[in-house]
């Protein structure tokens, strides 16, 4: 009896691609296998993954299974289910041929082993990719129009806003309490406050970010987020999530901003000017007790930080929560190099003595 595996895929979780859900694909392939007298030994399904990528776990598992288990047939509904990238399709068809596994589409009677069948399949592969590219272009165009019309495109609602339903879509409007808080945050930045001091001030006033304390990283993220200037940004990444240069980004004025575009740009300049210079690498990798120390005042962990002197860079152990602005702590930073020398000396003098080590080895 000849062995076969079945592979099925849909591009989105909410709806089946091309109107054919996974179970229908599997049923068609099972019927095809029965008509050919094949025994289906495994079924593989990818849900919510585009066929334009080969990073599909079930698809890769199916190929590996064919290679390891001497599978005779690889069944899927159509060439578009196998791949929507004609280069990937050709590569993996070659692998199946190497494994001695025949590829069959249950939706057609075309035998891709023949010259005519190979030609039809090759043309179909190009058409599949063309269709996928067109869908991508149409989707971007629709998203761009929706943003220009002032609609929210989905995802997590930014702090400071609320999504208000309008028909089948939603719009971002300022949150009655969070919006003024974000405006206050930008106002402090425009007055020259650093991210750490902003976080400390907000926490001192008892103002939280949806129940969480502010830290300088969170403040910095908000100050750099263009959504607060009323913009929605497209084309940050290309295929494979490869970052695109900012010059290729598309900005759309889509909703009411918390601050004006001019003030937003001023804040960007001020934040950039306040950033410390990169002195080459993280100091934490150079010190023996990084990650092992706790603050004696508040119990938070200690982390390494750096400061520039006239001619060199100094490294310190400091209270993590205090450094990030989550609270004010009376713990005073101390030189990491000096502490390491002192602590290692104490360990050698009082803990790792020759007598203790002899006893440890004996035990």
């Amino acid at each position: 009896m000849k062995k076969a595996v079945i592979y099925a895929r849909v591009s989105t979780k909410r709806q089946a691609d091309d109107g054919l859900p996974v179970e229908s694909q599997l049923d068609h392939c099972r019927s095809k296998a029965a008509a050919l007298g094949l025994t289906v030994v495994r079924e593989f399904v990818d849900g919510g993954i585009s066929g334009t990528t080969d990073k599909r776990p079930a698809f890769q598992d199916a190929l590996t299974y064919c290679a390891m288990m001497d599978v005779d047939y690889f069944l899927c509904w159509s060439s578009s289910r196998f791949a929507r990238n004609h280069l990937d399709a050709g590569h993996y068809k070659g692998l199946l041929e190497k494994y001695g596994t025949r590829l069959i589409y249950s939706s057609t009677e075309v035998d891709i082993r023949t010259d005519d069948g190979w030609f039809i399949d090759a043309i179909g592969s190009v058409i599949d990719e063309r269709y996928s590219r067109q869908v991508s272009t149409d989707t971007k165009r629709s998203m761009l129009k929706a943003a220009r019309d002032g609609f929210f495109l989905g995802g997590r609602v930014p702090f400071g806003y609320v999504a208000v339903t309008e028909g089948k879509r939603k719009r971002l409007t300022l949150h009655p309490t969070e919006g003024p808080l974000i405006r206050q945050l930008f106002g402090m930045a425009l007055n020259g406050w650093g991210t750490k001091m902003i976080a400390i001030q907000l926490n001192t006033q008892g103002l939280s970010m949806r129940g969480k304390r502010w830290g300088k990283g969170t403040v910095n993220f908000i100050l750099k987020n263009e959504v607060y200037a009323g913009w929605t940004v497209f084309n940050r990444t290309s295929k494979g999530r490869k970052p695109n240069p900012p010059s290729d980004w598309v900005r759309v004025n889509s909703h009411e901003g918390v601050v004006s575009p001019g003030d937003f740009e001023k804040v960007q300049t001020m934040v950039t000017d306040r950033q410390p210079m990169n002195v080459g690498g993280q100091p934490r990798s150079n010190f023996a007790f990084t990650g092992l120390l706790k603050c004696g005042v508040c119990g938070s962990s200690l982390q390494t930080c750096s400061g520039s002197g006239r001619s060199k860079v100094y490294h310190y152990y400091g209270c993590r929560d205090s450094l990030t602005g989550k609270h004010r702590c009376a713990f005073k930073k101390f030189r990491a190099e000096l502490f390491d020398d002192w602590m290692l000396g104490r360990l050698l003098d009082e803990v790792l003595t020759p007598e203790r080590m002899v006893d440890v080895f004996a035990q």
Side-chain angles (χ1 to χ4, degrees):
M1 184 71 71
K2 297 288 186 179
K3 296 184 295 183
V5 298
I6 294 175
Y7 174 72
R9 178 187 65 80
V10 290
S11 297
T12 63
K13 291 182 174 64
R14 293 185 179 182
Q15 61 182 18
D17 190 30
D18 292 341
L20 196 67
V22 165
E23 276 305 320
S24 294
Q25 295 179 42
L26 294 174
D27 286 342
H28 278 280
C29 290
R30 291 166 188 155
S31 298
K32 186 75 170 184
L36 296 174
L38 308 178
T39 299
V40 177
V41 292
R42 285 285 299 273
E43 294 179 351
F44 300 86
V45 175
D46 276 317
I49 302 180
S50 170
T52 59
T53 177
D54 62 353
K55 293 179 175 61
R56 292 174 275 155
F59 180 71
Q60 295 295 337
D61 289 345
L63 294 171
T64 301
Y65 190 86
C66 290
M68 300 292 292
M69 305 304 293
D70 296 325
V71 176
D72 302 293
Y73 290 86
F74 186 109
L75 273 66
C76 61
W77 164 247
S78 66
S79 60
S80 66
R81 302 304 88 204
F82 186 77
R84 281 198 181 277
N85 180 300
H86 75 283
L87 294 178
D88 286 345
H91 170 69
Y92 290 113
K93 288 170 186 174
L95 281 183
L96 288 178
E97 185 176 351
K98 179 180 177 181
Y99 302 153
T101 303
R102 179 182 170 187
L103 174 62
I104 289 183
Y105 306 129
S106 62
S107 61
T108 179
E109 298 298 328
V110 174
D111 185 349
I112 63 176
R113 296 176 300 175
T114 65
D115 290 343
D116 289 342
W118 169 85
F119 179 73
I120 293 173
D121 184 50
I123 295 298
S125 178
V126 174
I127 292 174
D128 290 336
E129 181 170 347
R130 175 68 180 91
Y131 173 80
S132 181
R133 287 172 176 267
Q134 186 62 53
V135 168
S136 178
T137 300
D138 291 344
T139 299
K140 290 179 181 178
R141 186 184 299 114
S142 298
M143 291 176 65
L144 191 61
K145 183 180 184 307
R148 283 175 173 160
D149 290 343
F151 292 109
F152 180 50
L153 301 180
R156 186 176 183 180
V157 178
F159 182 80
Y161 287 95
V162 60
V164 178
T165 301
E166 184 177 309
K168 294 183 178 180
R169 294 182 172 178
K170 296 182 179 180
R171 294 184 185 273
L172 285 183
T173 60
L174 292 181
H175 192 281
T177 57
E178 295 177 356
L181 177 55
I182 293 295
R183 188 172 285 116
Q184 175 187 343
L185 189 153
F186 272 93
M188 295 166 73
L190 286 168
N191 287 326
W193 290 52
T195 54
K196 177 181 175 181
M197 291 308 300
I198 292 174
I200 290 175
Q201 180 65 20
L202 294 177
N203 290 327
T204 301
Q205 294 177 8
L207 303 173
S208 67
M209 183 179 181
R210 295 176 181 170
K212 296 182 179 179
R213 294 180 65 82
W214 292 91
K216 66 178 184 180
T218 305
V219 173
N220 188 63
F221 174 79
I222 286 178
L223 291 177
K224 291 184 176 182
N225 194 336
E226 293 168 299
V227 70
Y228 297 111
W231 297 329
T232 297
V233 183
F234 295 91
N235 204 41
R236 290 180 183 268
T237 59
S238 55
K239 187 175 180 180
R241 295 188 178 275
K242 182 180 178 181
N244 292 328
S247 58
D248 291 343
W249 296 358
V250 179
R251 290 178 174 83
V252 179
N253 193 339
S254 58
H255 55 276
E256 179 184 359
V258 178
V259 295
S260 68
D263 284 345
F264 183 83
E265 291 302 327
K266 289 180 182 178
V267 169
Q268 305 317 297
T269 301
M270 298 173 72
V271 169
T272 301
D273 290 344
R274 293 180 65 94
Q275 288 180 343
M277 294 180 62
N278 186 349
V279 296
Q282 293 292 329
R284 68 182 63 188
S285 62
N286 299 326
F287 301 101
F289 298 97
T290 300
L292 301 177
L293 306 177
K294 295 288 185 180
C295 174
V297 178
C298 68
S300 176
S301 61
L302 300 188
Q303 71 174 28
T304 51
C305 57
S306 61
S308 300
R310 290 185 178 181
S311 59
K312 63 179 296 185
V313 175
Y314 297 95
H315 302 300
Y316 302 87
Y317 287 114
C319 173
R320 179 182 180 86
D321 283 353
S322 181
L323 291 173
T324 58
K326 290 187 176 180
H327 66 74
R328 291 182 181 273
C329 181
F331 187 89
K332 187 176 181 180
K333 295 185 294 185
F334 54 87
R335 290 277 300 279
E337 298 95 333
L338 300 179
F339 177 83
D340 279 8
D341 289 343
W342 172 79
M343 193 66 205
L344 288 171
R346 293 294 298 272
L347 286 172
L348 291 173
D349 291 342
E350 300 185 24
V351 180
L352 303 178
T353 62
E355 294 79 8
R356 289 182 183 272
M357 297 310 298
V358 168
D359 185 52
V360 169
F361 284 127
Q363 291 185 35

